[in-house]
């Protein structure tokens, strides 16, 4: 996964989309004159991509064969019209205050054609200087149909980088409805995301529109793309699409939505930049980009690399929080738990994009993308066992008293010396950090080819990609001095082929096509060594069962505009998946009505089908790397009545479930947007997503699955447990359990999202959002609640805050810009912390036309921050009452997790 693709350039974000179609909007009076037979009337409408409110007062410049041919200003309905001479290839450039400058795709007007029409959606600038940037979207037809039937929001990677965000993942969670699925102060640690409280495997990550990483739904908080590997060097922006249904050009199914990482594009003129950044925690970043066009060949090249030593500079640290309860405090043991601590991380990113124009209407784009991260986990398992936690544990668990006074603990302090510790003394001795040795790496390599052409009213796309995603996890030194920690390597290879045709007709744009998708999963896992009776076993790499998933899809899509203020947009997919041998019809449709030039109402509904991860159906038993040899007193008593009751069973591995069904979801949304003036506007959205056949992990008695545990495995388990001579391994069956995925229950996600912008003047504006997200599960049987104490029927899902909000202020004075982003996270958050706020700051000073200095600060006021997560001090997590043994006042589930302390970086960018 270490292959490198190349180096290169800056690209400028733009989300304009171009639809060649018969004109629907009335042109302004200034362009209503009768045109000569040899001229072409270029008409169009311009809307805000997020709210779909019309944009008035925007400057539209029309280019014919690359030469400026005329201009106009959009009217109150966002309409424009420009009469230009003759046939040829046309595009329009948009400049609207408060929005990113944009350039449309090219549209061919053959000889004799009298008019062409553009439908354009542009993105609000995330900074006061956003309108200075201009770029072009990929030349693909009906690009608006990819998103118009959905609610979308955009993340500016330029703004995120200026506030010292090293990766896309952390920046995304500041957007409404996007939640981190894990919380950690560690720099560069694992990072998963879910949308609106639905699982992260129900949120699909895309790269330039096609799926990457794991595909398939998994139970609970497992699976999904790890945003630890999400650099920003090669990206012009990130588009988040909300809702259930077949989304985007490829018809990706997801319950919560999709996150599309958009790579930079070639530019018409040569441009480039070099950025160097230094900061706290040993941060260093270098980014080099270049874009341009030479003749018919456009190019975009990027190389970036960033490193950090994390929260702890390289050194040694006593891990006294790792001492076993009632353990050995001898000097030799102390030495064993003194570990070299490091949080070293390295993240690299490369992009090569070449676009060749065979003609004004036919292009071939080839893209190679590479992202790799390597992380030393020794300094990222930054747990801390506080005194209160240790005191509670020793008071409830001590067993060693020996010759010490009653109530004291006898502890080895040096062979053969022992000492007597009071509870308080022992708790203090064990207070401290607790980590583990190991490392992990993630790699994502993607190769993408897209050919587009226009033939009369037909816009044709042929598109293919190959995506390789790998995750390697190594904890072979997780216990100091041993090699029993887990190791595994997951490898995903996804390929796809798309053929589509979109046709311009009088009142609508109609498209149809076919998409084929295949994913292969494989890898290896480490069987940890064990010794029984002086004989060692395990300690070998075991190949994982290869799994595949194939999906065939046929689709139609349509944008019907019976009137200038009314549109009906549909995107419907008919799919067959061979993993579950199931067929589904997944539509999504939006009715968009603009009662006035300043208002828009959208009604949206959709349905999605989420196929289970193919590995969940595999019938082979996957045994754990270690077994608890004292699960029931002694093995000799396994056949007696003393080995019964709650907590007496031994989990021996995972078994597949061939009867799994797809997870299904339907949703509807009602959105209203209002523009006050310019880019000052507000949007309110209500959503309701109902998921059925939800996946959970259930502990199933092995005795209820005849043949699931082969006799050879029973013998092996018995050997590892040290069964006495003459013991029948089959007698273990009543006391063994298997983990299995099951379809059961439902999930309901509902909420309100309020967002908007208030522009004070040309130099100062405020962005804000507030969302209420209610996410709950229902109809979960008692048998599952017993082993899942934090699942409560009808209760808010653990880790999903009910309330979130943000408020940003951006001011530009000449070449200086300051932006402050404040975020509010309510209680029941992934940190198990009370509700808190945090702030990020970006300061930019432009010197001349080429040089920009930046100061970025994350978590400006050190809110909810620290170097260690403190075990047992998190907020109490409500339990369902069916699992009393999980009383969690000081359990791992109540660990107080913290954010990274305030970090500051300094950067300089030189453009050329």
């Amino acid at each position: 996964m270490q292959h490198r693709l190349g180096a290169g350039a800056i690209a400028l974000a733009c989300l304009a989309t171009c639809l060649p179609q018969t004109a629907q909007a009335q042109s302004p009076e200034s362009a209503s004159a009768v045109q000569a037979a040899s001229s072409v009337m270029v008409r169009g409408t311009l809307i805000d991509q997020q709210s779909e409110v019309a944009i008035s007062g925007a400057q539209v410049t029309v280019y014919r064969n690359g030469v400026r041919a005329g201009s106009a200003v959009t009217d109150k309905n966002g309409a424009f019209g420009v009469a230009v001479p003759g046939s040829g290839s046309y595009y329009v450039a948009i400049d609207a205050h408060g929005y990113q400058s944009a350039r449309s795709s090219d549209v061919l007007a053959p000889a004799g054609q009298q008019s062409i029409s553009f439908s354009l959606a542009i993105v609000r600038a995330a900074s006061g200087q956003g309108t200075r940037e201009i770029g072009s979207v990929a030349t693909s037809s009906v690009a608006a149909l990819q998103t118009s039937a959905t609610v979308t929001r955009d993340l500016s990677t330029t703004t995120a980088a200026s506030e010292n965000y090293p990766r896309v993942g952390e920046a995304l969670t500041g957007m409404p409805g996007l939640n981190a699925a894990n919380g950690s102060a560690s720099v560069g640690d694992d990072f998963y995301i879910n949308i609106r409280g639905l699982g992260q495997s129900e949120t699909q990550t895309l790269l330039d529109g096609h799926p990457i990483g794991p595909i398939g739904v998994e139970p609970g908080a497992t699976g999904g793309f790890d945003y630890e590997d999400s650099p920003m060097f090669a990206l012009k922006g990130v588009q988040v699409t909300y809702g259930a249904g077949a989304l985007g050009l490829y018809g990706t199914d997801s319950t919560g939505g999709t996150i599309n990482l958009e790579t930079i594009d070639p530019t018409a003129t040569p441009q480039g930049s070099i950025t160097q950044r230094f900061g706290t925690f040993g941060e260093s970043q270098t980014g080099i980009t270049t874009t341009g066009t030479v003749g018919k060949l456009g190019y975009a090249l990027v190389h970036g690399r960033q490193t950090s030593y994390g929260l702890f500079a390289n050194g040694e640290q006593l891990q006294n929080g790792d001492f076993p309860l009632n353990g050995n405090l001898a000097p030799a043991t102390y030495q064993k738990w003194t570990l070299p601590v490091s949080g070293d991380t390295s993240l690299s990113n490369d992009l090569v994009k070449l676009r060749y124009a065979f003609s004004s209407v036919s292009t071939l784009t080839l893209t190679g993308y590479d992202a790799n991260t390597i992380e030393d986990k020794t300094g990222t398992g930054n747990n801390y066992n506080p005194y209160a936690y240790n005191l509670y544990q020793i008071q409830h668990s001590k067993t060693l008293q020996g010759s010490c006074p009653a109530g004291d603990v006898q502890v080895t302090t040096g062979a053969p010396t022992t000492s007597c510790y009071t509870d308080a003394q022992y708790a203090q001795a064990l207070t401290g950090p607790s980590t583990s040795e190991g490392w992990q790496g993630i790699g994502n390599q993607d190769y993408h080819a897209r050919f587009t052409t226009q033939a009369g009213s037909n816009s044709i796309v042929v598109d293919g990609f190959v995506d390789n995603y790998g995750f390697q996890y190594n904890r072979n030194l997780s216990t100091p001095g041993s090699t029993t920690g887990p190791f595994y390597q997951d490898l995903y290879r996804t390929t796809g082929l798309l053929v589509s045709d979109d046709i311009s007709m009088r009142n609508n744009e109609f498209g149809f096509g076919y998409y084929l998708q295949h994913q292969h999963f494989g890898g290896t896992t480490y069987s940890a060594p064990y010794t029984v009776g002086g004989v060692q076993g395990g300690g070998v790499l075991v190949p994982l069962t290869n799994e595949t998933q194939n999906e065939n899809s046929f689709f139609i899509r349509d944008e019907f505009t019976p009137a200038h203020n009314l549109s009906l947009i549909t995107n419907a997919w008919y799919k067959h998946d061979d993993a579950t041998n199931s067929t589904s019809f997944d539509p999504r449709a939006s009715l968009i009505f603009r009662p006035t030039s300043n208002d828009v109402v959208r009604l949206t509904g959709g349905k999605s089908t989420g196929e289970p991860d193919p590995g969940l159906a595999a019938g082979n038993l996957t045994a754990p790397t270690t077994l608890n040899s004292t699960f029931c007193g002694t093995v000799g008593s396994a056949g007696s009545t003393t080995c019964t009751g709650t907590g007496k069973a031994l989990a021996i591995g995972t078994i597949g479930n061939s009867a799994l069904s797809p997870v299904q979801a339907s949703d509807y949304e009602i959105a209203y947007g209002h523009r006050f003036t310019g880019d000052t506007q507000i949007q309110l959205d209500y959503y309701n997503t109902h998921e059925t056949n939800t996946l959970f992990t259930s502990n199933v008695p092995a005795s209820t699955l005849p043949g699931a545990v082969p006799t050879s495995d029973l013998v092996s388990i018995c050997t590892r447990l040290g069964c006495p001579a003459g013991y029948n391994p089959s007698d273990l069956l009543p006391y063994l359990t298997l983990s299995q995925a099951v379809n059961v229950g439902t999930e309901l996600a509902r909420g309100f999202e309020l967002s908007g912008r208030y522009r004070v003047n040309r130099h100062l504006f405020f962005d804000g959002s507030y969302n209420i997200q209610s996410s709950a599960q229902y109809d979960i049987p008692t048998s599952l609640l017993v082993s899942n104490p934090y699942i409560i029927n009808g209760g808010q899902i653990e880790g999903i805050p009910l309330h979130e909000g943000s408020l940003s202020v951006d001011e530009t004075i000449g070449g200086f810009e300051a932006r402050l982003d404040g975020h509010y996270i309510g209680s029941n958050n992934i940190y198990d912390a009370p509700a808190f706020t945090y702030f990020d700051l970006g300061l930019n000073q432009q010197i001349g036309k080429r040089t920009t200095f930046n100061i970025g600060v994350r978590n400006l006021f050190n809110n909810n921050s620290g170097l260690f997560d403190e075990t047992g001090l998190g907020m109490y997590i409500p339990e369902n009452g069916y699992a009393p043994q999980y009383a969690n006042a000081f359990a791992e589930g109540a660990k107080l997790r913290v954010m990274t302390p305030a970090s500051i970086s300094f950067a300089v960018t030189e453009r050329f």
Side-chain angles (χ1 to χ4, degrees):
M1 306 298 285
Q2 300 301 315
H3 178 60
R4 293 292 181 272
L5 295 172
I10 195 165
L12 309 162
C14 157
L15 285 186
T17 58
C18 171
L19 297 178
Q21 63 181 17
T22 301
Q24 298 299 318
Q26 296 293 324
S27 62
E29 292 182 1
S30 61
S32 62
V34 178
Q35 54 184 313
S38 61
S39 67
V40 174
M41 176 60 77
V42 178
R43 308 173 189 267
T45 56
L46 184 64
I47 62 174
D48 182 291
Q49 190 215 31
Q50 179 179 325
S51 68
E52 298 203 9
V53 170
I55 300 174
S56 62
Q59 182 73 34
V60 180
T61 304
V62 179
Y63 290 82
R64 173 181 174 269
N65 298 332
V67 179
R68 187 180 185 278
S71 64
V73 176
T74 57
D75 66 10
K76 66 178 183 178
N77 296 313
F80 63 89
V82 182
V84 295
S87 60
S89 177
Y90 288 90
Y91 70 85
V92 297
I94 307 295
D95 189 4
H97 184 67
Y99 290 84
Q100 293 186 24
S101 297
R103 183 201 156 206
S104 75
S105 304
D106 296 331
V107 173
L108 179 66
Q113 182 169 330
Q114 295 185 348
S115 68
I116 56 176
S117 179
F118 291 85
S119 177
L120 298 139
I122 60 175
V123 178
R124 288 174 225 162
S127 67
Q129 300 182 10
T131 54
R132 300 182 183 182
E133 302 178 348
I134 186 167
S136 64
V137 295
T139 309
S140 62
S141 62
V142 293
L145 291 184
Q146 301 172 29
T147 57
S148 293
T150 60
V151 174
T152 60
R153 299 181 190 275
D154 293 271
L155 171 72
S156 167
T157 52
T158 302
T159 300
S162 74
E163 294 180 347
N164 197 27
Y165 278 94
R167 304 176 299 183
V168 166
E170 291 96 334
L172 283 170
T173 55
M175 301 176 69
L178 271 68
N179 307 283
N182 58 314
S184 173
S186 299
V187 177
D189 203 2
D190 295 308
F191 204 86
Y192 296 92
I193 295 175
N194 66 69
I195 296 180
R196 292 175 171 173
L198 300 158
Q200 59 252 36
S201 64
E202 281 120 303
T203 296
Q204 182 62 53
T205 303
L206 313 175
L207 181 69
D208 287 333
H210 65 258
I212 61 175
I215 297 174
V217 180
E218 296 192 38
T222 58
F225 184 89
D226 192 336
Y227 281 83
E228 178 186 341
D229 191 32
S230 62
M232 290 188 280
F233 296 106
L235 302 181
K236 66 181 181 183
V238 182
Q239 185 178 86
V240 179
T241 302
Y242 298 78
L247 308 175
L249 183 64
Y250 299 83
T252 301
D253 252 335
S254 62
T255 301
T258 61
I259 299 174
N260 185 24
L261 312 178
E262 300 174 312
T263 60
I264 68 172
D265 288 312
T267 52
T269 58
Q271 301 177 24
S273 70
I274 299 176
T275 299
Q276 182 63 56
R277 182 182 300 272
F278 295 100
T280 49
F281 306 122
E283 178 189 2
S284 175
Q285 289 187 34
T286 302
I288 307 172
T289 65
T290 181
T291 62
T293 299
V294 178
K296 294 185 176 183
L297 181 65
Y299 61 88
L301 307 172
V302 177
H303 172 71
R305 178 177 171 82
Q306 61 192 60
T307 58
S308 170
Y309 59 63
L311 299 179
F312 309 101
N314 295 348
E316 292 195 343
Q317 187 180 84
L318 177 64
Q319 304 295 306
N320 46 328
D322 268 332
F323 293 148
L325 191 64
N326 302 320
N328 188 336
L329 302 185
T333 306
Y334 265 83
Q335 184 65 36
K336 189 186 244 185
W337 263 269
T338 300
L339 300 180
V341 176
S342 166
D344 286 346
T345 64
S346 172
L347 182 60
S348 61
N349 195 195
D350 296 280
L351 175 76
V352 175
K353 180 178 286 189
L354 302 175
R355 179 171 297 155
Y356 186 78
F358 296 98
S359 68
S360 60
V361 294
S362 298
T363 62
L364 174 65
T365 303
L366 302 176
T367 305
Y369 171 89
D370 180 86
N372 289 275
T373 180
I374 298 176
E375 177 188 17
D376 187 337
K377 300 293 288 186
T378 307
T380 58
N382 54 327
N383 302 317
Y384 193 89
N385 289 339
Y387 175 81
Y389 167 78
N390 290 329
L391 184 63
Y392 176 90
Q393 293 285 48
I394 191 63
Q395 288 175 342
H396 292 78
S397 310
K398 61 186 176 186
T399 57
L400 295 182
Q401 294 181 355
S403 59
C404 292
D408 283 3
V409 180
Q410 180 174 294
V411 178
T412 301
T413 54
T417 306
T418 60
S419 298
C420 298
Y421 278 49
T422 65
D423 292 349
Q425 290 172 329
Y426 192 72
Q428 187 60 52
L430 270 66
T431 296
S434 169
T435 189
S436 61
E437 293 181 288
W439 60 272
Q440 72 183 37
I442 306 173
N444 187 199
Q445 284 79 49
D446 190 271
Y447 308 94
H448 186 194
R450 175 176 292 183
F451 175 76
T452 64
T453 189
Q454 187 176 337
S457 298
N458 296 69
S459 298
I460 300 169
V461 175
V462 180
D463 185 289
F465 68 90
V466 177
D467 183 78
N468 299 300
Y469 175 86
F471 187 103
Q472 192 170 93
Y473 178 104
N474 191 325
R475 296 294 189 281
N476 275 344
L477 297 176
S478 61
T479 301
S482 75
T483 56
T484 59
F487 169 90
Y488 63 84
Q489 183 179 51
D490 292 342
L491 301 174
Y492 298 84
R493 183 179 180 88
T494 308
T495 58
L497 175 65
L498 169 77
V499 179
S500 68
D501 184 11
D502 294 281
I503 308 167
S504 298
M505 294 182 287
R506 176 169 179 171
N507 293 321
N508 65 308
E509 293 287 335
F510 176 77
F512 63 93
Y514 170 77
Y515 175 55
L516 172 66
Q517 178 178 285
H518 169 84
Q519 182 167 94
H520 175 270
F521 168 73
T524 56
T525 186
Y526 182 71
S527 175
Y530 60 91
T531 302
V532 176
V535 179
Q536 181 172 328
V540 296
L541 285 175
V542 180
L544 298 175
T545 303
N546 289 325
E547 306 292 343
T548 60
Q549 185 177 29
N550 296 292
E551 187 175 90
N552 295 275
S553 307
F554 298 90
F555 61 87
I556 60 172
R557 49 184 177 234
D558 185 73
E559 181 174 358
F560 177 54
T561 309
H564 74 277
N565 63 346
L566 182 65
S567 298
L568 176 61
I569 302 171
T570 58
N571 190 355
W573 292 71
Y574 180 82
K575 301 185 176 186
H576 178 78
D577 188 277
D578 69 352
T580 56
N581 194 29
S582 61
T583 301
S584 64
F585 178 67
D586 297 331
R588 189 162 183 85
S590 285
L591 179 66
I592 302 170
F593 176 57
R594 297 181 177 86
T596 72
S597 60
N598 291 321
D599 297 276
V600 61
V601 178
R602 173 166 40 188
L603 305 178
T604 301
K607 172 184 173 293
S608 70
T609 302
E611 296 293 334
D613 184 290
L616 300 177
N620 297 329
L621 174 65
T622 302
T625 56
T626 59
L627 291 174
N628 181 3
S629 60
T630 59
F631 76 103
C632 190
T634 63
V635 176
S637 65
S640 71
T641 57
T642 61
C643 190
T644 58
T646 302
K648 298 297 184 179
L650 174 64
I652 62 167
T654 300
I655 193 72
N657 184 357
S658 59
L660 288 178
S661 299
V663 176
Q664 295 184 329
S666 60
D667 84 343
Y668 64 86
E669 303 194 26
I670 304 172
Y672 169 72
H674 176 76
R675 180 188 64 190
F676 296 94
T677 180
D679 61 335
T680 296
Q681 50 190 281
I682 193 170
Q683 180 178 345
L684 176 65
D685 178 56
Y686 170 77
Y687 65 88
N688 183 300
T689 302
H690 184 224
E691 180 183 275
T692 59
N693 286 337
T694 303
L695 287 175
F696 289 90
T697 298
S698 176
N699 292 325
V700 182
S703 57
T704 64
L705 299 173
V709 187
T711 302
S712 58
D713 284 350
L714 286 172
V715 172
S716 174
I717 293 170
C718 205
T719 300
R720 293 177 67 174
L721 292 178
C723 292
Y727 187 83
N728 185 354
S730 297
D731 290 342
L732 283 174
L733 271 176
Y735 312 104
L736 305 179
T737 64
L738 299 171
S739 176
Q740 187 180 59
V742 294
N743 293 106
V744 64
T746 63
E747 187 167 336
L748 184 62
R750 297 172 291 177
F752 290 93
E753 295 173 355
L754 177 65
S755 61
R757 168 172 292 185
Y758 173 62
R759 179 166 293 278
V760 180
N761 51 48
R762 292 187 64 87
H763 309 289
L764 175 65
F765 66 85
F766 293 86
D767 283 334
S769 69
Y770 174 72
N771 63 294
I772 301 172
Q773 52 179 356
S774 170
S775 300
Q777 294 161 333
Y778 298 87
D779 305 318
I780 312 301
T782 303
S783 59
L784 270 177
L785 297 178
V786 169
S787 56
N788 294 275
Y790 308 130
I791 296 178
I792 301 176
N793 272 314
Q796 183 80 351
I797 295 176
E798 178 196 357
I800 306 300
L802 184 63
H803 302 277
E804 289 182 326
S806 67
L807 181 63
S808 306
V809 57
D810 188 291
E811 178 154 15
T812 305
I813 304 174
F816 175 77
E817 179 183 9
R819 182 179 177 92
L820 179 67
D821 286 301
H823 304 279
Y824 168 80
I825 299 179
S827 58
N828 191 49
N829 52 66
I830 198 64
Y831 297 95
D832 288 334
F836 66 94
T837 59
Y838 67 96
F839 296 84
D840 303 313
L841 176 68
L843 303 174
N844 297 281
Q845 177 65 60
Q846 187 167 330
I847 308 296
K849 295 183 178 180
R850 294 186 174 184
T851 306
T852 301
F853 290 95
N854 165 255
I855 298 176
V857 187
R858 286 185 60 201
N859 200 2
L860 178 63
F861 302 114
N862 259 327
N863 299 92
N864 190 48
S865 68
L867 298 179
F868 293 97
D869 298 330
E870 297 185 295
T871 305
L873 298 188
M875 292 190 67
Y876 181 82
I877 305 171
E879 301 173 8
N880 57 39
Y882 290 94
Q885 72 273 23
Y886 279 86
N888 68 355
F890 291 105
E892 172 75 10
K895 181 191 294 183
L896 176 62
R897 294 169 173 83
V898 292
M899 298 186 67
T900 307
S903 61
I904 184 170
S905 69
F906 303 87
V908 59
T909 298
E910 187 71 18
R911 294 177 175 83
F912 53 87

